[in-house]
Each structure stands twice: as C-alpha cells, then as structure tokens.
Amino acid sequence: MAETLPSPPPGPAGAWAEFRGIVRAQENDQTISALEYEAYPAMAEREIRRLLEEIAVRHPCLATTVIHRIGIVPVGETAVYVGVAAKHRGAAFALLAEFMDRLKQDVPIWKRRSLPAAPTAIPLPVNSLRVPPAGQPMAIPVSLAEAMAEIYERSKPLPPMPVSLEEACGRILRQPVCAPEDMPSCDRSTRDGYAILQNDAQNEFRIVDVVHAADWKPRQLQSGEAARVATGAALPCGGLCVVMQENVERKGDAIKILRRETVLNLRRRGEEAKAGEPLLQTGMRLDPGKLALLASAGCAQPLVSPRLRVLHFTTGDEIIPPGKIPQPGQVRDSNSILIRSLLQKFSGTVESAHLPEDFEKAKAEISNFKFQISNADVVLVSGGASVGEKDFTRSLLAWLRFEIVFSQVNIRPGKPLIFGTNGNRVAFGLPGNPLSHFVCFHFAVATALAKLTGESAPKFLRGRLSAPFVDAACARETLWPAQLGPAGLRPLPWASAGDVTSFATANALLRIPARCDSLESGTEVDFLPAGDMLDA
Amino acid sequence: MRVLFFAQLKDVTGCDSMELTINEPLNSDQLWVALLVKFPALAKHRASVRLACNSEYAGPQTQFNQADEAALIPPVSGG
C-alpha cells in the first residue's frame, strides 16, 4: 500500500520533517531477516487520511507524504515513510510524532510474520514412513498433469535469505523492490550546456552558477539567469530546460542563444519511477540488468532464495566414468554431467557419488559419505538399467526417510519415475536411461526446483510443427524431443529411451497425446522448453 | 454482506472473507452473534477485535446492511 499525497509546495514551507521506520534485526528476541506486512488497503488509506486531517487541525501543515510497504520488507529497509511540510518545524515535528502514535493504534496494517535469519535445520520426521513394503503392488500411475501438480504442491519454497548483489546473480528474488525515492531524485541535465527557465523569452543570459555532475546547488533561477550545467548534473530548481553549449555564444559570464531546440534536454524527477512504485517483483530471476536496477534503488542486500543443495547418486554396476573404455556390457555415465549441467540454471551446488548395486554396501557408502544427507534440499537417484533398479531406489529413498508420493507416471519415456518428500526436502528416483533423465528432469525435477526457489513452475507453450510427426501409437502420453527453430518445432528421431543422440540437439519436448500416431506439419502442439531453451 | 478477516483471524477462521446473508440491519452486537455461530473460535478474540463497516471503524450507532462490507480488525501492528 502506498499513499502519496502532494509533494511539498516550494513556496511557504519552512520545514520538511521526515521519518523512516526501519525493520530491526530483532523481533520478539529472535534474529530475523525480514518482516511480512499485511493491510486492509482501502481502509488503511482512509484511516491515514482521516488521522492526518484530524491532527492537522491542531498542528497545521502544508503537505504530507505517507508510504507504508506491505509484503516482505527485509531487515534494514524502510517499512514506513512519513514526510511533513509545514511553515515552521514545531508543527511538522508535532504532527509527525502524533501521527506515528496514532498509525500504530488505528491503521489496519499488521506484521503478519517474521522470517528467520538463516534457514533452520529440518528435523527428520521419524513417523512418516508410509512406503509399501517391497513386493506389494505399485500404486496406480499418475498422469503427467497430476504428477506436475502434485510435485508443485508438495515442494515447499526454501526460506529466503539476504545476500550481497555479487552473490545474487542468477538467483530468484523473493521480495518486491520499490523505488525508495523518485528516480531520478531531481531533474538532471542530459547535455553539457546552460539551464534556463523553460518559457524564458530572453535571448541573453547572465551565468549565475556552475553545477558539476556531483553538485547539489538548489536555487530559484530568475528570467535572464542561466546556470552552467554538466551532463548528469542536478538542475538547481524545477521548470528548467537545458540549451546545449553548441547552441550558445559565450562572452565572459554571459551567453547569447543562437538556436533553440524543442527538446528540454533533461531527465525529469521521477520519470523512471516515482517513490514507492514497484520496480521488481517476487519470483524474478536476477540477471545483470535487474542487479543494476537493485543497485541504483539502494537494495544492496536483496532477499533471494538460498543456493539449492543437490545430492546426486548414480547406481548400476555397468556404469563407468566417461574417460574409461567400456567392456561389453558396460556403458559410460552420461547422466552425471547431464544432471549437473541442467542444474546450473538453478544456481545450486551438486554433490555426486556412485553407489554399488548391493543395498547393504550402498548404505555403508552413504554412511561414509562426507556430504551430510540432511543438508541436501534435493536428492536425485539415477537408476541403472538392471532388473530391480526401482526396488533399489525405493528402498534407498525409504531408508533415507522419504515418503513416496508416487512411483509411476503414465508417460513415455520416464514411466518408472519416483517422487518422495521428507519435511521440506524432495527426492526423485530417475529411470536410468538418458532420454528418460532428460524428460523427467524437465517436467518433474524442474517443477520441484522452481517451487523450492520461489520461481513460477515450468509451463507448456503452444507451437506449430515444421515437419510431420509419425510414430507407432503409444497408450501413454509422450514427451518427444524436438528442435524449435524459426520455422517451428521439428520432431527429432528417437528409437529407445537409451538414445543419447536423440536429445543432443533438442531444445523442446513435444506433448503428444496418448494413442496419437501422426500429426501433420503445421499442427499446433504443446511443448515444454528444454535444454538451453530453459533460460529463454 | 461480505465480511473480511485479517492477520491472525485468517488463521482462526481459515479464510480471508465470507458471505453472510442478513435479513435486516444488524448492530455490532448482533453481527457478533451471527459471526460466532459460524466461527465459535472467534469468541476469545472478541474483546480485542474492532468491527469496521465500509472501511470505517464501527461505532455504537453503526448499522450493518446486506450491501455493506464488514471487517474484523484485530489489534494493528504497522509501522
């Protein structure tokens, strides 16, 4: 809620008293990172107006500005701003003090909750094991839409934390950011030249001041007076224009205008944003341009999502490192680098380990692992291609105290996808084939990561096929690798879920309905951006 | 009549607003009675909660009509 009353008139005000209420780092003996405010906006605005009018009867003033932020306000930032213009300081101070007292009694604004200073450790819920024992029939497979909705619903956003601007690049902003003051804060020249009154019909002017870029020299220019100004300099008062130096003839401390332009050659106060105007919204990914805007708005410690901590286990005795030569029956591990590079966009840290297929040995390996499982926000288990991989992954996730939400999705490829939660942590058991990995990451893992980091969930877009789609009809909905180019979506050939070549050049996944065996070129289809299109 | 709940009262009622049908104008006490029927848990907040009618605090004379917007204002904590 932002209530902006007229700015103080330049005339009779002899006092301009300001108050800023700042969010403190301590609230009810707890160290916090931010407060969240809630308001009844219509009534708050009305009450503020009513209180000001009531108090101004006793302490006459000329103008006031009141801004109260709602939503998340980080520690150290202004939650409430009040400016009062009066003839004399006594009235301004008195009105300000009484208004703040009354605001805290009557204006319907509430501190809804405080956000803790650092993410707190998540205790393991011991009694949440509801995994059916091995050998029991699997739950009915969920549909693609159900799976995505379930994952989004059950994943919880990580508590935001304040970080420096350098640290914030690539992370998700978790607070709205408003202009702290008019931007720019005063009229500024865009030329080296001479500032004069806009409608001054004189032709010759006397130079009464020189204003460099860093100067602040307020004065009311009169007709026939000019101020020498540099590009970027704050103009001495409102209502001015700047005549470029190329268009004047200077003689000593006087100038003569040779040519007048219709443009004013200035950036007006507040033309980029007025005080209190929203600049950036919660959920935006901070890129270089947005970081520059945060810096210019004075938001040096934005509240962002913490870096995701991902733990990735590969399994399967047939897997060997990419640098080794495979014996018959062995395959090089392509999933580790796939996961690691797909996670880069989500600015997380990835710890990986390979687990032996023997469950007891795998448990011993995890127990010896230097990385604390309880420190991971996301646990990914890449299955091998061997028989019983799913039971292995299920048992492993159950042993790690994850509650399995679903263990089959009616989708091709990627049907044996497992999703589980443990408190605020999520886990996926990814079917081992590389194309399944690619597909499951984009529709499932990316959905959870988006929710954890406070971003909006991946969404299907509409596009047109630039080539026909032909396949044997499948009873399951299919996510088919494709390449999105200027002409549209071109389906890529793939033969099996183990096919790595099929998605090497894919940047989209087509959503092919169940039992569909062909689509003509030009047909409109749903697709999910993938691979390097994730950033687009 | 639309009734709005704010801050901790949202947690008490589990919603941020409700529709209340009234057949005749109610004063504050009568409105409380109607609300407590729907949400008995509001009882212990009654002493500290002020009623508002169309964005103004209600007084002893205030009458709530079907077309009004009522609001329950728990102790405020702005600033």
Side-chain angles (χ1 to χ4, degrees):
Chain A
M1 194 264 326
E3 165 71 348
T4 311
L5 296 168
S7 295
W16 174 241
E18 289 185 320
F19 170 79
R20 283 164 201 260
I22 314 287
V23 176
R24 272 174 304 161
Q26 298 289 322
E27 179 80 8
N28 299 330
D29 296 333
Q30 298 237 311
T31 304
I32 63 162
S33 62
L35 282 176
E36 184 172 8
Y37 287 91
E38 175 187 334
Y40 178 9
M43 182 167 172
E45 193 172 328
R46 207 170 161 142
E47 271 300 297
I48 288 172
R49 225 176 256 281
R50 187 185 68 77
L51 289 175
L52 288 171
E53 281 165 9
E54 182 193 317
I55 303 167
V57 173
R58 277 169 282 123
H59 308 294
C61 72
L62 298 164
T64 55
T65 298
V66 178
I67 300 171
H68 199 305
R69 289 170 64 180
I70 59 168
I72 292 173
V73 184
V75 163
E77 291 200 7
T78 302
V80 58
Y81 170 90
V82 183
V84 180
K87 264 190 192 161
H88 303 288
R89 69 180 186 281
F93 285 144
L95 185 138
L96 190 50
E98 191 172 339
F99 174 74
M100 279 311 299
D101 288 344
R102 296 290 301 276
L103 177 137
K104 284 169 172 288
Q105 293 163 17
D106 291 332
V107 177
I109 298 175
W110 298 270
K111 292 184 183 79
R112 185 70 166 114
R113 63 186 177 120
S114 43
L115 296 149
T120 42
I122 301 148
L124 293 176
V126 182
N127 298 324
S128 70
L129 294 179
R130 279 203 270 136
V131 183
Q136 283 212 350
M138 292 297 174
I140 316 156
V142 295
S143 70
L144 174 62
E146 284 166 349
M148 290 176 80
E150 196 75 17
I151 292 166
Y152 195 73
E153 176 62 34
R154 295 200 184 226
S155 307
K156 305 288 174 228
L158 298 171
M161 58 192 290
V163 299
S164 69
L165 291 174
E166 288 80 2
E167 279 277 292
C169 191
R171 303 227 222 160
I172 305 299
L173 183 66
R174 294 283 291 278
Q175 62 168 107
V177 176
C178 299
E181 57 186 354
D182 288 343
M183 296 171 71
S185 57
C186 50
D187 290 352
R188 288 189 180 275
S189 174
T190 57
R191 300 286 181 197
D192 290 337
Y194 298 87
I196 59 170
L197 290 175
Q198 267 172 37
N199 46 9
D200 198 337
Q202 306 281 334
N203 217 26
E204 294 190 7
F205 294 83
R206 192 167 60 85
I207 299 170
V208 295
D209 215 337
V210 179
V211 190
H212 297 291
D215 289 346
W216 172 233
K217 295 180 173 177
R219 70 182 287 160
Q220 183 62 50
L221 287 189
Q222 305 298 329
S223 174
E225 290 183 343
R228 174 84 172 113
V229 292
T231 300
L235 297 183
C237 62
L240 301 184
C241 65
V242 175
V243 184
M244 285 165 65
Q245 61 185 9
E246 291 83 347
N247 292 340
V248 306
E249 187 181 282
R250 178 159 177 176
K251 278 188 190 150
D253 64 353
I255 54 165
K256 187 172 160 189
I257 295 185
L258 305 175
R259 197 171 77 84
R260 281 195 189 244
E261 291 177 289
T262 49
V263 290
L264 299 177
N265 291 324
L266 53 86
R267 288 163 64 215
R268 281 186 187 282
R269 172 178 180 166
E271 78 176 16
E272 288 171 38
K274 295 270 183 217
E277 201 172 291
L279 299 174
L280 294 174
Q281 312 296 335
T282 298
M284 285 178 162
R285 184 173 293 280
L286 293 174
D287 58 14
K290 295 188 184 75
L291 289 169
L293 181 56
L294 286 179
S296 59
C299 182
Q301 293 271 321
L303 268 187
V304 299
S305 292
R307 286 195 193 286
L308 280 173
R309 296 160 308 172
V310 180
L311 189 53
H312 181 212
F313 292 120
T314 50
T315 65
D317 290 346
E318 77 281 18
I319 303 294
I320 60 162
K324 294 263 164 68
I325 295 171
Q327 301 297 315
Q330 293 186 321
V331 282
R332 293 192 178 104
D333 172 22
S334 61
N335 287 338
S336 292
I337 187 62
L338 179 65
I339 292 294
R340 200 172 269 273
S341 48
L342 283 169
L343 282 166
Q344 262 179 11
K345 180 214 159 192
F346 292 90
S347 61
T349 55
V350 189
E351 294 278 340
S352 343
H354 186 75
L355 297 179
E357 239 168 70
D358 180 275
F359 189 50
E360 291 307 315
K361 284 186 191 158
K363 284 200 285 190
E365 189 92 351
I366 291 175
S367 304
N368 295 332
F369 196 45
K370 64 181 187 313
F371 189 82
Q372 287 284 314
I373 304 267
S374 57
N375 284 341
D377 305 307
V378 181
V379 175
L380 302 176
V381 181
S382 295
S386 56
V387 178
E389 73 169 74
K390 195 150 121 179
D391 292 340
F392 179 87
T393 303
R394 275 186 80 108
S395 308
L396 190 67
L397 292 180
W399 182 68
L400 294 171
R401 298 181 179 172
F402 283 93
E403 182 186 332
I404 306 299
V405 177
F406 59 75
S407 56
Q408 275 191 52
V409 185
N410 213 356
I411 185 88
R412 176 182 64 146
K415 186 178 178 191
L417 175 71
I418 303 172
F419 171 59
T421 61
N422 170 349
N424 288 354
R425 301 190 285 140
V426 297
F428 291 92
L430 301 168
N433 280 316
L435 182 59
S436 306
H437 256 68
F438 190 75
V439 166
C440 289
F441 182 89
H442 286 96
F443 86 86
V445 180
T447 300
L449 301 186
K451 183 72 176 287
L452 289 169
T453 55
E455 219 180 354
S456 54
K459 282 197 177 59
F460 282 95
L461 309 175
R462 291 291 277 173
R464 275 182 201 286
L465 293 182
S466 63
F469 164 80
V470 186
D471 185 45
C474 178
R476 283 177 271 155
E477 208 172 352
T478 299
L479 286 177
W480 190 285
Q483 205 173 44
L484 177 65
L489 293 152
R490 188 168 63 83
L492 296 166
W494 68 281
S496 78
D499 198 340
V500 186
T501 54
S502 59
F503 66 89
T505 57
N507 60 6
L509 292 168
L510 305 180
R511 187 179 194 172
I512 307 291
R515 286 172 290 280
C516 168
D517 59 359
S518 63
L519 293 169
E520 283 175 22
S521 181
T523 311
E524 252 201 6
V525 290
D526 285 346
F527 73 97
L528 205 55
D532 56 10
M533 266 262 288
L534 268 181
D535 297 322
Chain B
M1 178 171 61
R2 191 155 191 78
V3 184
L4 308 179
F5 304 107
F6 291 98
Q8 65 268 37
L9 300 184
K10 284 182 186 171
D11 302 331
V12 174
T13 61
C15 59
D16 57 7
S17 67
M18 65 168 287
E19 285 300 329
L20 186 70
T21 307
I22 55 173
N23 300 322
E24 51 185 3
L26 304 180
N27 64 26
S28 292
D29 283 339
Q30 291 163 328
L31 176 59
W32 267 115
V33 171
L35 289 170
L36 290 172
V37 170
K38 299 262 181 197
F39 301 108
L42 283 174
K44 67 172 179 177
H45 297 274
R46 181 169 175 179
S48 63
V49 169
R50 284 187 280 179
L51 294 178
C53 181
N54 298 328
S55 301
E56 276 183 49
Y57 283 114
Q61 308 301 326
T62 304
Q63 292 282 314
F64 291 86
N65 295 294
Q66 181 60 30
D68 290 337
E69 180 180 83
L72 276 68
I73 311 287
V76 303
S77 51

